[in-house]
Amino acid sequence: MDTKLLFQDAAGFQTPLLAVFAVDIAVGKDAEPLVALLTTSDSVADSAAKVLASGEFKATVGETLLLHGPNGLKTERLVVVGLGKAKGLSVDEVRKGAGTAVRAAKPLGVREMAIAFPEDHALDDEHLETLPCALLSRVLVEGAEVAEKDWDTYRSERKDRSVRSLSVIAKEAEKSTRAEIQEGFDAGVIVAAAQNFARSLVNEPGNVLTPTELGKRAAAMCSEMGLKCEVHSTAKLLELKMGAFAAVAQGSEQPPALIVMTYEPKLGKGEALAKDAPVLGLVGKGITFDTGGISIKPGDGMEKMKYDMAGAAAMIGAMQAIAQLKPRVKVIGVVCSAENMPDGKAYRPGDVVTAMSGKTIEVINTDAEGRLVLADGLHYAKTLGCTHLIDAATLTGACVVALGIVNVGLFSNDEGAWQKFTDATKISGEKFWRLPCTDDYKDQIKSHIADMRNTGANRWGGAISAAMFLKEFVGETPWLHLDIAGCAWHDENKPWIANGPSGVALRSILEWVRGYSD
């Protein structure tokens, strides 16, 4: 989608479809909705006044009202998009609103559209102090660009419902304000493109996106963005003594891929990062297809296991955005990619494998393979000099049972790293819920024959057992673990996003990285 920013009056902009945002400014739990448009254009307000006065439109999040031939406007259609209550309006609602506007255009066959930039001073008593114009501009673009994608990639008779052009129309403003809006807009385009790239990787079927192919696509992105990239396979795993990672890969005819992406901030002449400057390690689980191995999964729903590399995709996409947004901090991305297959050479329940760190692991269930590849990935990132670590993985069904499909499970061994991530979510708009990984749970992964086992001693707290396992490989290094299993794939269409890959965690990881920029 060709997205551009224009500074002019939305009422005079000629377009097949103009979207304007609305909020409910009513106060009180049981108060009747009182709808207000986030525009100071009298022409736009007048064109919708009669139908808004009827009360049929409540301005709830994702609600739309379509008007044909609105009086006084040059647009052919006007769509009013609800953002919910004005009080407490957050970046999440604005993203969803922009996405809803774009999704609403698709069934109409609209190829070109515009969105009126929300003006908080359109409200008499409410102001959006928590949403500065740069952030508003960014999240609007992110929501719109992410919403435009549909994932029927391999259908031979695809219906082209793409919105090819989007204009964001901001009213004439002071030079400084225009600069802020432009800055946010530019960042939004970058972040949305990275998220959509990650989503496109997750959407690919396992017969297309093998570990080798994932490595090729990551390398191509790095070449385009000016990042250093190395892609290794079986020989390197054996050289590094990555026994846990190699064990998972050995059951497939497809070789594994160890992908290492490095971002070095460009500094001015005579500048240098402090000697104690952090080096951030982004580690992603890249199981391009997961049958469960010898502990094979039930057939029902196994086709979704192509998305078991969503953590890796989030890290690859984050590196793309980092390369363009240029934070002043070194970042190393490590992706451990393999297939988990039930071949005669596959690792078995009862096997004992030795991780790169030297720790031995009793394999209880070969379907707990993600933590094995991450164990070696996290330790390897430390050997590369990473001082802070974050991993993302579709790791456990237990996390989905605990948190459903709304919140990502978050675990951490460091309060400072966790607080920076919490601050990041205020911008990303993504939802996480912190779960414990204290030593009280360590007995769950004790083994009689090895240093640890790869699943808990019982079914209770399965997501925590997995986090406790990973914790053994980070030591004292500040670390965050994101279990994205419940949120990496949307099973249903929503007003603001198509069903399919979500790209979850990428925005939060990116903002966490930027939080360390000096």
Side-chain angles (χ1 to χ4, degrees):
M1 185 165 65
D2 177 26
T3 305
K4 50 188 175 290
L5 174 64
L6 303 173
F7 291 95
Q8 65 180 81
D9 184 0
F13 186 72
Q14 191 162 356
T15 179
L17 178 68
L18 172 67
V20 62
F21 297 124
V23 292
D24 177 10
I25 60 174
V27 178
K29 183 178 179 181
D30 299 320
E32 286 293 319
L34 184 58
V35 178
L37 300 181
L38 293 182
T39 177
T40 57
S41 170
D42 291 336
S43 298
V44 173
D46 290 345
S47 67
K50 185 175 181 180
V51 68
L52 291 181
S54 72
E56 67 181 73
F57 179 76
K58 312 295 184 185
T60 57
V61 178
E63 183 183 4
T64 59
L65 172 68
L66 180 66
L67 302 175
H68 289 267
N71 292 328
L73 306 183
K74 287 196 174 180
T75 182
E76 297 170 20
R77 308 171 187 86
L78 176 70
V79 62
V80 184
V81 180
L83 301 183
K85 289 284 188 181
K87 190 174 182 63
L89 187 67
S90 72
V91 294
D92 200 33
E93 286 78 32
V94 177
R95 272 197 193 89
K96 288 178 178 177
T100 299
V102 172
R103 298 296 300 173
K106 284 175 166 283
L108 302 175
V110 169
R111 296 289 180 263
E112 299 177 11
M113 65 174 296
I115 298 178
F117 189 83
E119 302 173 71
D120 72 323
H121 52 280
L123 307 178
D124 292 332
D125 301 318
E126 298 283 346
H127 294 282
L128 311 180
E129 288 93 351
T130 58
L131 295 175
C133 57
L135 183 56
L136 272 175
S137 182
R138 173 181 159 179
V139 301
L140 189 157
V141 174
E142 289 173 2
E145 291 275 1
V146 167
E148 203 286 320
K149 297 294 182 183
D150 287 298
W151 301 105
D152 53 348
T153 315
Y154 290 96
R155 292 189 66 174
S156 57
E157 297 182 3
R158 297 181 71 195
K159 290 184 178 179
D160 182 9
R161 302 197 308 167
S162 59
V163 177
R164 297 168 188 164
S165 175
L166 170 67
S167 299
V168 178
I169 310 297
K171 205 166 185 179
E172 292 287 346
E174 295 180 1
K175 187 176 180 180
S176 60
T177 304
R178 291 176 62 160
E180 289 176 16
I181 294 173
Q182 184 70 59
E183 178 186 358
F185 177 89
D186 294 342
V189 170
I190 290 169
V191 176
Q195 186 172 346
N196 282 335
F197 174 49
R199 295 168 77 204
S200 70
L201 293 175
V202 178
N203 189 57
E204 290 285 31
N207 64 317
V208 173
L209 194 79
T210 61
T212 300
E213 180 63 21
L214 181 62
K216 288 179 180 177
R217 297 194 188 188
M221 179 277 291
C222 288
S223 177
E224 182 182 353
M225 297 296 160
L227 297 173
K228 179 182 177 183
C229 183
E230 300 175 20
V231 182
H232 305 287
S233 194
T234 307
K236 187 68 172 181
L237 270 59
L238 298 178
E239 176 192 328
L240 294 172
K241 298 182 178 179
M242 289 183 163
F245 184 1
V248 174
Q250 71 190 39
S252 174
E253 66 176 10
Q254 294 291 338
L258 173 62
I259 305 164
V260 183
M261 304 161 285
T262 305
Y263 164 77
E264 296 268 9
K266 291 183 180 179
L267 306 175
K269 188 175 181 180
E271 285 188 296
L273 294 175
K275 290 184 178 180
D276 60 348
V279 178
L280 308 182
L282 316 185
V283 183
K285 172 189 173 185
I287 304 299
T288 57
F289 195 81
D290 180 20
T291 67
I294 297 298
S295 308
I296 197 163
K297 296 175 181 290
D300 186 28
M302 194 192 288
E303 74 281 356
K304 293 179 183 176
M305 288 301 99
K306 68 176 188 175
Y307 95 127
D308 212 19
M309 39 63 67
M315 296 311 185
I316 295 169
M319 292 299 293
Q320 175 175 304
I322 287 164
Q324 295 174 279
L325 294 174
K326 304 185 187 312
R328 289 171 58 93
V329 61
K330 183 175 180 178
V331 187
I332 301 174
V334 176
V335 166
C336 299
S337 184
E339 286 186 338
N340 187 23
M341 302 290 280
D343 183 81
K345 301 187 296 294
Y347 74 132
R348 300 156 291 249
D351 284 1
V352 174
V353 299
T354 303
M356 184 184 179
S357 67
K359 292 181 183 291
T360 56
I361 304 162
E362 179 186 9
V363 177
I364 303 299
N365 189 321
T366 64
D367 195 24
E369 85 297 332
R371 65 201 73 181
L372 294 176
V373 303
L374 287 176
D376 281 342
L378 288 164
H379 182 79
Y380 184 50
K382 288 173 60 179
T383 69
L384 295 177
C386 294
T387 62
H388 297 70
L389 297 168
I390 186 168
D391 74 74
T394 48
L395 205 63
T396 67
C399 197
V400 188
V401 172
L403 299 177
I405 59 174
V406 176
N407 280 276
V408 170
L410 183 152
F411 303 81
S412 182
N413 66 350
D414 183 82
E415 296 305 304
W418 170 75
Q419 186 57 58
K420 275 192 180 292
F421 193 84
T422 300
D423 293 341
T425 62
K426 296 173 185 176
I427 297 174
S428 74
E430 296 176 318
K431 293 179 171 61
F432 297 80
W433 193 266
R434 189 177 183 184
L435 295 167
C437 59
T438 57
D439 286 346
D440 311 66
Y441 294 93
K442 198 169 181 179
D443 284 350
Q444 284 288 89
I445 57 169
K446 280 186 176 179
S447 167
H448 296 295
I449 192 173
D451 294 329
M452 69 192 78
R453 50 191 285 157
N454 79 326
T455 63
N458 54 51
R459 60 183 296 214
W460 314 122
I464 298 173
S465 296
M468 290 302 299
F469 180 91
L470 296 179
K471 188 180 178 183
E472 291 294 302
F473 297 91
V474 299
E476 299 302 314
T477 304
W479 159 75
L480 292 156
H481 162 53
L482 311 178
D483 191 334
I484 63 173
C487 301
W489 190 272
H490 296 305
D491 284 326
E492 298 178 352
N493 286 312
K494 298 183 180 180
W496 49 84
I497 193 169
N499 65 331
S502 68
V504 72
L506 183 151
R507 296 196 305 261
S508 299
I509 293 163
L510 172 63
E511 290 309 313
W512 181 76
V513 167
R514 297 177 82 188
Y516 286 94
S517 183
D518 70 7

